[in-house]
Amino acid sequence: MAHAWIPQQWDSARVAMTALDASEVCRLLGGWTTGSATLTDDLVTALVELIDAGLVPAGALLPPQRRLASALLVSRGTVTSAYECLEARGYLATSRGSGSRVRSARSQLHGRPSGRLFSFTSAPADVIDLSTGALPASPVAADVLARPRAELTAYLATDGYFPAGLPVLRQAIADQYTRDGLPTRPQQILVTSGAQQATWLAVTSLAGSGDLVLTEEPTYRGVLEVLRSTDARAEGIPLAGGGLDVEQVRHASSRRPQALFCQTAIHNPTGRSMTDGSRAELATLINDVGLPTIEDTCSADLTLAGAPVARTLAGLVDPELLVTVGSTSKLFWGGVRIGWIRASETRVHGLIELRKAVDLASSVADQLVAVELIARTDVARHQRRTMLTEALAATESELRCAYPDWHWNPIDGGSGLWVDTGQDAVALAERGKRAGVRVAAGPSFSTYDGQRTFLRLPVWHEPTMLRAGLTALSS
């Protein structure tokens, strides 16, 4: 299964404490019913596959039978029989009062799963995937990728390893920041293999096992995976008026968090932007308390009105406290696996050393493509804005027609809507799977498995496909 880069780390004490929520298991199971066997047999087969693949790690505590049955829309007896079968086959150890734990020694991955990466697999032809906001390639990307890479020849005589990134790409990224009004030197840039790796590096450099990290509630699914893999403690700070509640951050800072992760430009999943006043207030707080901050700006280019790129904390926060994550994925295409970190030169040096321990360098070919793409940033921003503005209007029209009781706030940018369905979105997602529709329920964006009535729906799908998916979801 192709997916974003995430290192998996073994920690037997942590694994032993892993408790999976019913909504997590639902996401991991995907379309588990076959129609050719009993529900119990299908559930056993699906859980065995997850355990053998290591996606449900040894030592993990499965959800209580009643909760899983409710989430899967089956009887409790179905789950009870499945658990009993798994115990008889040696996959579970069940004790009264303690629940059922996975005892398989065949697990190869040992982290707490989120199910997010299933969003990036190719859905079968008969499945409508409304679970990810990842965009198709922009016209700029299609044009650049169709060209031969003659400039690659110059690098063939080298070993191909550039841990900090190709100098020409570091310069291109720095120049784009400068054009956007943020003077930047190439020495402040570290090129990574996508934004997920950049996020992992940033978090790992600041927080370790048991450390407190503040983030928004809801927040980007990828950072929750990173925090779980590093065993940091995530505390969600509620949003207020489109951005972090600064007073809540101030209150939480008394508990001495190691870092703050935020998205003040275009927030994923809500599509909202922090107001300039609130952003300045947050920056002042960060500077006053000396709070190291990771800002994800990957969606900053996807504005729907006003400036072509949304404002961020850069320029407001002490450079020694701020780590900015960027990527080519949203503006150009996720198939070009290039991300980056903008930080102080001192921090970049440390991040390079951390990066070399797990990944020697990013693809030279992808980096050369990124140089060409970044040179056409202005064109790509215009293309994305036009596409998303038209798609958003069509999507909202389809939603109002299909579900007049659903509600959402107007968005400032991004590729998705954060929709309050007013019902159990986990159960809705489970019904969708059986109808051949994938949707992303709110708990996968939550630090505490909350946001249970919300769905994140992409806005870019062709209206006929979206209409078919929404119709199937209601059946």
Side-chain angles (χ1 to χ4, degrees):
M1 176 175 62
H3 54 74
W5 180 95
I6 304 176
Q8 300 289 340
Q9 300 179 347
W10 168 253
D11 182 334
S12 58
R14 174 166 59 88
V15 167
M17 295 297 290
T18 299
L20 300 181
D21 184 85
S23 61
E24 287 181 285
V25 175
C26 284
R27 292 193 296 272
L28 287 166
L29 285 171
W32 60 276
T33 57
T34 65
S36 60
T38 67
L39 289 175
T40 295
D41 289 342
D42 280 346
L43 184 56
V44 169
T45 299
L47 287 171
V48 165
E49 289 177 354
L50 291 178
I51 294 170
D52 283 346
L55 292 168
V56 175
L61 181 65
L62 292 184
Q65 296 168 9
R66 189 182 303 277
R67 291 182 187 173
L68 184 58
S70 176
L72 291 176
L73 306 179
V74 298
S75 70
R76 183 181 180 184
T78 295
V79 177
T80 300
S81 297
Y83 279 16
E84 289 174 349
C85 183
L86 289 169
E87 184 173 19
R89 293 173 59 177
Y91 280 92
L92 291 185
T94 301
S95 58
R96 186 178 297 275
S98 298
S100 299
R101 289 190 180 275
V102 175
R103 61 183 297 181
S104 171
R106 285 173 278 188
S107 297
Q108 299 301 312
L109 306 177
H110 302 282
R112 184 179 178 183
S114 76
R116 165 178 170 261
L117 297 183
F118 288 156
S119 297
F120 298 103
T121 60
S122 296
D126 59 344
V127 171
I128 299 174
D129 192 352
L130 303 179
S131 66
T132 173
L135 295 164
S138 68
V140 162
D143 181 49
V144 168
L145 288 165
R147 300 177 184 177
R149 303 261 77 82
E151 64 273 24
L152 183 60
T153 303
Y155 293 91
L156 297 181
T158 73
D159 60 17
Y161 296 115
F162 297 85
L166 292 181
V168 65
L169 178 55
R170 297 176 78 191
Q171 184 69 60
I173 296 169
D175 288 347
Q176 185 59 52
Y177 274 119
T178 301
R179 286 192 294 272
D180 286 335
L182 183 65
T184 302
R185 299 179 301 278
Q187 293 81 8
Q188 293 176 266
I189 302 298
L190 167 61
V191 176
T192 64
S193 300
Q196 188 72 13
Q197 186 186 65
T199 302
W200 184 87
L201 288 169
V203 170
T204 304
S205 71
L206 294 172
S209 179
D211 288 336
L212 176 63
V213 176
L214 306 179
T215 186
E216 303 120 329
E217 174 62 39
T219 191
Y220 167 52
R221 289 188 286 180
V223 77
L224 294 178
E225 292 171 351
V226 169
L227 292 171
R228 288 163 181 161
S229 76
T230 58
D231 202 26
R233 293 182 295 123
E235 178 178 329
I237 304 295
L239 300 178
L244 274 170
D245 186 323
V246 179
E247 286 308 309
Q248 293 273 7
V249 177
R250 191 186 311 279
H251 180 73
S253 67
S254 65
R255 294 191 289 280
R256 299 187 178 183
Q258 291 299 303
L260 165 69
F261 175 90
C262 62
Q263 308 161 85
T264 74
I266 301 294
H267 180 266
N268 180 354
T270 67
R272 307 289 300 282
S273 289
M274 204 169 190
T275 65
D276 290 345
S278 294
R279 185 181 296 105
E281 186 181 358
L282 177 63
T284 298
L285 172 61
I286 290 169
N287 290 331
D288 287 348
V289 302
L291 178 59
T293 298
I294 303 164
E295 184 174 24
D296 182 337
T297 65
C298 292
S299 295
D301 299 286
L302 304 184
T303 59
L304 296 176
V309 60
R311 292 187 178 93
T312 68
L313 290 169
L316 301 175
V317 169
D318 180 347
E320 293 298 327
L321 292 174
L322 185 63
V323 177
T324 301
V325 173
S327 170
T328 60
S329 296
K330 298 290 193 299
L331 186 59
F332 300 106
W333 187 41
V336 178
R337 300 306 307 142
I338 295 297
W340 58 81
I341 286 172
R342 182 190 183 275
S344 68
E345 293 183 33
T346 300
R347 190 175 296 279
V348 165
H349 287 313
L351 290 168
I352 291 171
E353 293 307 308
L354 178 60
R355 187 261 181 89
K356 288 192 294 187
V358 292
D359 179 36
L360 294 179
S362 300
S363 160
V364 170
D366 275 15
Q367 291 186 74
L368 291 174
V369 169
V371 171
E372 290 192 58
L373 293 174
I374 290 169
R376 301 179 65 179
T377 292
D378 290 346
V379 175
R381 285 172 176 167
H382 176 73
Q383 290 174 345
R384 283 301 200 212
R385 176 176 289 192
T386 300
M387 170 201 175
L388 289 172
T389 299
E390 294 174 354
L392 174 62
T395 297
E396 289 185 315
S397 177
E398 293 292 341
L399 276 174
R400 291 189 185 101
C401 181
Y403 296 97
D405 294 333
W406 288 8
H407 301 284
W408 58 91
N409 289 316
I411 64 173
D412 300 300
S415 61
L417 288 175
W418 187 238
V419 181
D420 189 349
T421 68
Q423 58 183 288
D424 185 345
V426 175
L428 185 63
E430 183 62 28
R431 289 199 299 272
K433 285 189 292 185
R434 298 184 188 183
V437 182
R438 291 179 180 174
V439 291
S444 61
F445 301 86
S446 175
T447 57
Y448 64 94
D449 209 53
Q451 312 293 327
R452 299 191 72 85
T453 64
F454 285 87
L455 290 178
R456 185 180 189 270
L457 292 174
V459 302
W460 58 270
H461 282 294
E462 194 273 329
T464 302
M465 175 183 287
L466 178 62
R467 187 179 307 124
L470 293 175
T471 300
L473 200 59
S474 64
S475 60

